[in-house]
Amino acid sequence: MKRPFAIPETQLRPWKLGPPERRGHFRVFSVFAMDVQTPDGETRPEIYTIDVADSCSVVAVTEDEQLVLVRQLRFGTRELSLELPGGMLQPGEDPARGVLRELREETGYEALAAEPLLALHTNPSLQRNRHFAFVASGARLVGAPIFDEHEDCEVVLVPVEHAERLLEEGHMTHALCHAALSAFLRRRAAGDTSAR
């Protein structure tokens, strides 16, 4: 049984943030600048933030205990990346529906439902968007993938029993996918039936 604990209340005083001013929009993100003032009233040079849509990923497991993964080129690293299926949510889209849409589009697999696994801020120093990770059991192939204009994914099936090795041996280096698969494995080890 876990012992209860409390995180101490903050002693930090709030900074004053000016209204964000858009400095540029680049298809999938916008850059904003804000004036900031310390709690003591000292004005600091403007800071920059990036607005990006919320995103999602899914630990999709087939009836025969295979993880449904995708391999795709990532333009940031300029390398192929082995990841969980997922992507950006549409404005106002429910994350559980969005992740099932992404699973179908990227892999051709469908699942009846997606159970919440975790929600994270992707990079709070620069961004305020969130990433929602889910588990979807009983995933099954129903058709061909439907890629968007900047996607070309390869479906990779890996037995769930080897999931830990994907992380330990550096096969999956995308931080959000790593966090989601780690949470899935912790839940599974603790006997959580939603991670089955």
Side-chain angles (χ1 to χ4, degrees):
M1 183 171 152
K2 292 182 181 177
R3 295 183 322 172
F5 78 102
I7 297 174
E9 292 293 323
T10 184
Q11 301 302 307
L12 293 173
R13 295 181 297 151
W15 288 51
K16 291 182 182 174
L17 305 178
E21 178 184 318
R22 189 191 303 214
R23 294 291 176 85
H25 179 72
F26 307 93
R27 197 173 66 81
V28 296
F29 68 90
S30 294
V31 176
F32 287 83
M34 283 188 289
D35 292 325
V36 296
Q37 196 175 72
T38 69
D40 295 325
E42 183 182 334
T43 299
R44 296 283 171 91
E46 65 185 3
I47 56 100
Y48 295 89
T49 61
I50 301 168
D51 267 16
V52 181
D54 287 342
S55 59
C56 59
S57 64
V58 62
V59 179
V61 183
T62 64
E63 289 291 339
D64 62 345
E65 290 286 291
Q66 302 281 320
L67 292 172
V68 181
L69 306 175
V70 292
R71 184 180 291 127
Q72 62 185 312
L73 174 65
R74 286 304 191 184
F75 301 114
T77 59
R78 298 170 180 83
E79 295 178 352
L80 292 176
S81 180
L82 185 65
E83 304 174 1
L84 301 173
M88 291 187 166
L89 295 169
Q90 302 300 323
E93 186 175 30
D94 174 68
R97 287 185 183 209
V99 82
L100 293 175
R101 174 186 53 75
E102 286 287 345
L103 175 64
R104 174 65 181 88
E105 289 174 1
E106 289 190 349
T107 68
Y109 280 74
E110 282 187 353
L112 295 178
E115 298 292 326
L117 185 60
L118 57 91
L120 303 168
H121 283 99
T122 61
N123 182 359
S125 65
L126 293 174
Q127 300 164 217
R128 66 178 180 174
N129 65 306
R130 295 182 300 165
H131 182 83
F132 300 91
F134 294 85
V135 176
S137 300
R140 60 188 183 87
L141 183 62
V142 296
I146 308 161
F147 302 130
D148 73 25
E149 63 182 338
H150 293 103
E151 277 184 327
D152 185 20
C153 301
E154 174 182 45
V155 176
V156 178
L157 298 178
V158 173
V160 172
E161 65 187 273
H162 298 312
E164 201 166 318
R165 293 182 62 189
L166 290 172
L167 305 178
E168 291 174 352
E169 296 176 10
H171 300 289
M172 183 177 288
T173 61
H174 189 302
L176 297 172
C177 296
H178 198 287
L181 190 54
S182 294
F184 167 79
L185 290 171
R186 283 192 306 276
R187 282 193 181 183
R188 196 171 170 97
D192 185 335
T193 57
S194 70
R196 297 268 170 219

mmCIF file of all heavy atoms in Angstrom, residues 59 61 67 117-118 135 160 163 179-189 194-196:
data_model
loop_
_atom_site.group_PDB
_atom_site.id
_atom_site.type_symbol
_atom_site.label_atom_id
_atom_site.label_comp_id
_atom_site.label_asym_id
_atom_site.label_seq_id
_atom_site.Cartn_x
_atom_site.Cartn_y
_atom_site.Cartn_z
ATOM 1 N N VAL A 59 -0.864 3.270 -26.567
ATOM 2 C CA VAL A 59 -0.260 1.947 -26.443
ATOM 3 C C VAL A 59 -1.352 0.989 -26.907
ATOM 4 O O VAL A 59 -2.264 0.647 -26.156
ATOM 5 C CB VAL A 59 0.174 1.640 -24.991
ATOM 6 C CG1 VAL A 59 0.777 0.240 -24.908
ATOM 7 C CG2 VAL A 59 1.146 2.689 -24.479
ATOM 8 N N VAL A 61 -2.622 -2.588 -28.177
ATOM 9 C CA VAL A 61 -2.249 -3.987 -27.987
ATOM 10 C C VAL A 61 -3.259 -4.864 -28.719
ATOM 11 O O VAL A 61 -4.468 -4.714 -28.539
ATOM 12 C CB VAL A 61 -2.223 -4.356 -26.481
ATOM 13 C CG1 VAL A 61 -1.761 -5.793 -26.287
ATOM 14 C CG2 VAL A 61 -1.331 -3.393 -25.705
ATOM 15 N N LEU A 67 2.310 -5.182 -29.511
ATOM 16 C CA LEU A 67 2.220 -3.727 -29.525
ATOM 17 C C LEU A 67 2.185 -3.272 -30.981
ATOM 18 O O LEU A 67 2.971 -3.744 -31.803
ATOM 19 C CB LEU A 67 3.441 -3.094 -28.860
ATOM 20 C CG LEU A 67 3.615 -3.284 -27.363
ATOM 21 C CD1 LEU A 67 4.973 -2.743 -26.934
ATOM 22 C CD2 LEU A 67 2.498 -2.587 -26.609
ATOM 23 N N LEU A 117 -4.173 6.908 -19.850
ATOM 24 C CA LEU A 117 -2.958 6.397 -19.217
ATOM 25 C C LEU A 117 -2.247 7.509 -18.460
ATOM 26 O O LEU A 117 -1.915 7.365 -17.293
ATOM 27 C CB LEU A 117 -2.049 5.801 -20.294
ATOM 28 C CG LEU A 117 -0.781 5.103 -19.862
ATOM 29 C CD1 LEU A 117 -1.090 3.922 -18.946
ATOM 30 C CD2 LEU A 117 -0.014 4.617 -21.088
ATOM 31 N N LEU A 118 -2.015 8.640 -19.110
ATOM 32 C CA LEU A 118 -1.410 9.797 -18.450
ATOM 33 C C LEU A 118 -1.580 11.032 -19.306
ATOM 34 O O LEU A 118 -1.868 10.954 -20.484
ATOM 35 C CB LEU A 118 0.067 9.555 -18.123
ATOM 36 C CG LEU A 118 1.042 9.181 -19.241
ATOM 37 C CD1 LEU A 118 1.660 10.421 -19.837
ATOM 38 C CD2 LEU A 118 2.146 8.324 -18.667
ATOM 39 N N VAL A 135 -4.324 3.675 -23.492
ATOM 40 C CA VAL A 135 -4.150 2.253 -23.765
ATOM 41 C C VAL A 135 -5.378 1.806 -24.545
ATOM 42 O O VAL A 135 -6.505 2.153 -24.180
ATOM 43 C CB VAL A 135 -4.059 1.422 -22.467
ATOM 44 C CG1 VAL A 135 -3.973 -0.065 -22.784
ATOM 45 C CG2 VAL A 135 -2.885 1.853 -21.628
ATOM 46 N N VAL A 160 4.398 -7.718 -26.556
ATOM 47 C CA VAL A 160 4.363 -6.938 -25.317
ATOM 48 C C VAL A 160 5.478 -7.369 -24.373
ATOM 49 O O VAL A 160 6.058 -6.538 -23.675
ATOM 50 C CB VAL A 160 2.981 -7.050 -24.632
ATOM 51 C CG1 VAL A 160 2.999 -6.413 -23.257
ATOM 52 C CG2 VAL A 160 1.912 -6.406 -25.498
ATOM 53 N N ALA A 163 8.471 -5.194 -24.578
ATOM 54 C CA ALA A 163 8.268 -3.741 -24.480
ATOM 55 C C ALA A 163 9.347 -3.065 -23.640
ATOM 56 O O ALA A 163 9.849 -1.995 -24.002
ATOM 57 C CB ALA A 163 6.888 -3.436 -23.899
ATOM 58 N N ALA A 179 7.615 7.833 -22.088
ATOM 59 C CA ALA A 179 6.868 8.035 -20.843
ATOM 60 C C ALA A 179 5.582 7.211 -20.837
ATOM 61 O O ALA A 179 5.236 6.586 -19.829
ATOM 62 C CB ALA A 179 6.550 9.515 -20.655
ATOM 63 N N ALA A 180 4.867 7.200 -21.960
ATOM 64 C CA ALA A 180 3.606 6.462 -22.037
ATOM 65 C C ALA A 180 3.829 4.963 -21.916
ATOM 66 O O ALA A 180 3.120 4.275 -21.177
ATOM 67 C CB ALA A 180 2.889 6.790 -23.346
ATOM 68 N N LEU A 181 4.822 4.440 -22.632
ATOM 69 C CA LEU A 181 5.081 3.000 -22.564
ATOM 70 C C LEU A 181 5.584 2.616 -21.170
ATOM 71 O O LEU A 181 5.218 1.556 -20.648
ATOM 72 C CB LEU A 181 6.072 2.585 -23.651
ATOM 73 C CG LEU A 181 6.249 1.074 -23.861
ATOM 74 C CD1 LEU A 181 4.919 0.377 -24.117
ATOM 75 C CD2 LEU A 181 7.212 0.808 -25.006
ATOM 76 N N SER A 182 6.366 3.460 -20.542
ATOM 77 C CA SER A 182 6.822 3.209 -19.166
ATOM 78 C C SER A 182 5.635 3.150 -18.210
ATOM 79 O O SER A 182 5.562 2.262 -17.349
ATOM 80 C CB SER A 182 7.788 4.300 -18.703
ATOM 81 O OG SER A 182 8.977 4.263 -19.440
ATOM 82 N N ALA A 183 4.690 4.091 -18.344
ATOM 83 C CA ALA A 183 3.498 4.096 -17.488
ATOM 84 C C ALA A 183 2.662 2.844 -17.719
ATOM 85 O O ALA A 183 2.151 2.237 -16.762
ATOM 86 C CB ALA A 183 2.666 5.346 -17.767
ATOM 87 N N PHE A 184 2.534 2.441 -18.979
ATOM 88 C CA PHE A 184 1.810 1.209 -19.314
ATOM 89 C C PHE A 184 2.448 0.008 -18.621
ATOM 90 O O PHE A 184 1.752 -0.811 -18.015
ATOM 91 C CB PHE A 184 1.812 1.015 -20.833
ATOM 92 C CG PHE A 184 1.376 -0.341 -21.296
ATOM 93 C CD1 PHE A 184 0.034 -0.676 -21.348
ATOM 94 C CD2 PHE A 184 2.325 -1.282 -21.691
ATOM 95 C CE1 PHE A 184 -0.365 -1.928 -21.781
ATOM 96 C CE2 PHE A 184 1.927 -2.536 -22.136
ATOM 97 C CZ PHE A 184 0.583 -2.868 -22.178
ATOM 98 N N LEU A 185 3.766 -0.093 -18.691
ATOM 99 C CA LEU A 185 4.460 -1.231 -18.089
ATOM 100 C C LEU A 185 4.333 -1.234 -16.560
ATOM 101 O O LEU A 185 4.174 -2.300 -15.949
ATOM 102 C CB LEU A 185 5.932 -1.235 -18.507
ATOM 103 C CG LEU A 185 6.171 -1.575 -19.984
ATOM 104 C CD1 LEU A 185 7.623 -1.336 -20.358
ATOM 105 C CD2 LEU A 185 5.745 -3.003 -20.294
ATOM 106 N N ARG A 186 4.379 -0.049 -15.936
ATOM 107 C CA ARG A 186 4.194 0.032 -14.477
ATOM 108 C C ARG A 186 2.796 -0.431 -14.083
ATOM 109 O O ARG A 186 2.627 -1.197 -13.133
ATOM 110 C CB ARG A 186 4.437 1.456 -13.976
ATOM 111 C CG ARG A 186 5.886 1.854 -13.887
ATOM 112 C CD ARG A 186 6.089 3.153 -13.111
ATOM 113 N NE ARG A 186 5.295 4.258 -13.605
ATOM 114 C CZ ARG A 186 5.643 5.054 -14.618
ATOM 115 N NH1 ARG A 186 6.798 4.855 -15.245
ATOM 116 N NH2 ARG A 186 4.871 6.048 -15.000
ATOM 117 N N ARG A 187 1.794 0.024 -14.819
ATOM 118 C CA ARG A 187 0.420 -0.391 -14.522
ATOM 119 C C ARG A 187 0.234 -1.885 -14.722
ATOM 120 O O ARG A 187 -0.427 -2.555 -13.942
ATOM 121 C CB ARG A 187 -0.571 0.362 -15.407
ATOM 122 C CG ARG A 187 -0.838 1.761 -14.961
ATOM 123 C CD ARG A 187 -2.033 2.293 -15.699
ATOM 124 N NE ARG A 187 -2.315 3.648 -15.329
ATOM 125 C CZ ARG A 187 -3.350 4.326 -15.784
ATOM 126 N NH1 ARG A 187 -4.202 3.769 -16.630
ATOM 127 N NH2 ARG A 187 -3.554 5.572 -15.404
ATOM 128 N N ARG A 188 0.802 -2.380 -15.771
ATOM 129 C CA ARG A 188 0.679 -3.804 -16.072
ATOM 130 C C ARG A 188 1.330 -4.645 -14.975
ATOM 131 O O ARG A 188 0.776 -5.637 -14.529
ATOM 132 C CB ARG A 188 1.323 -4.090 -17.428
ATOM 133 C CG ARG A 188 0.959 -5.410 -18.041
ATOM 134 C CD ARG A 188 1.494 -5.441 -19.465
ATOM 135 N NE ARG A 188 1.385 -6.747 -20.036
ATOM 136 C CZ ARG A 188 0.393 -7.134 -20.827
ATOM 137 N NH1 ARG A 188 -0.574 -6.301 -21.122
ATOM 138 N NH2 ARG A 188 0.376 -8.352 -21.306
ATOM 139 N N ALA A 189 2.513 -4.219 -14.520
ATOM 140 C CA ALA A 189 3.216 -4.934 -13.457
ATOM 141 C C ALA A 189 2.437 -4.888 -12.139
ATOM 142 O O ALA A 189 2.498 -5.824 -11.346
ATOM 143 C CB ALA A 189 4.607 -4.344 -13.257
ATOM 144 N N SER A 194 -6.659 -2.499 -17.050
ATOM 145 C CA SER A 194 -6.766 -1.652 -18.245
ATOM 146 C C SER A 194 -5.484 -1.695 -19.064
ATOM 147 O O SER A 194 -5.467 -1.278 -20.205
ATOM 148 C CB SER A 194 -7.101 -0.205 -17.857
ATOM 149 O OG SER A 194 -6.005 0.400 -17.209
ATOM 150 N N ALA A 195 -4.408 -2.195 -18.481
ATOM 151 C CA ALA A 195 -3.125 -2.308 -19.195
ATOM 152 C C ALA A 195 -2.936 -3.730 -19.713
ATOM 153 O O ALA A 195 -1.813 -4.201 -19.853
ATOM 154 C CB ALA A 195 -1.980 -1.897 -18.267
ATOM 155 N N ARG A 196 -4.005 -4.408 -19.961
ATOM 156 C CA ARG A 196 -3.933 -5.776 -20.495
ATOM 157 C C ARG A 196 -4.448 -5.805 -21.914
ATOM 158 O O ARG A 196 -5.276 -5.063 -22.331
ATOM 159 C CB ARG A 196 -4.759 -6.741 -19.636
ATOM 160 C CG ARG A 196 -4.238 -6.864 -18.224
ATOM 161 C CD ARG A 196 -3.277 -7.994 -18.123
ATOM 162 N NE ARG A 196 -2.616 -7.943 -16.812
ATOM 163 C CZ ARG A 196 -1.347 -8.216 -16.650
ATOM 164 N NH1 ARG A 196 -0.598 -8.549 -17.654
ATOM 165 N NH2 ARG A 196 -0.793 -8.164 -15.480
#
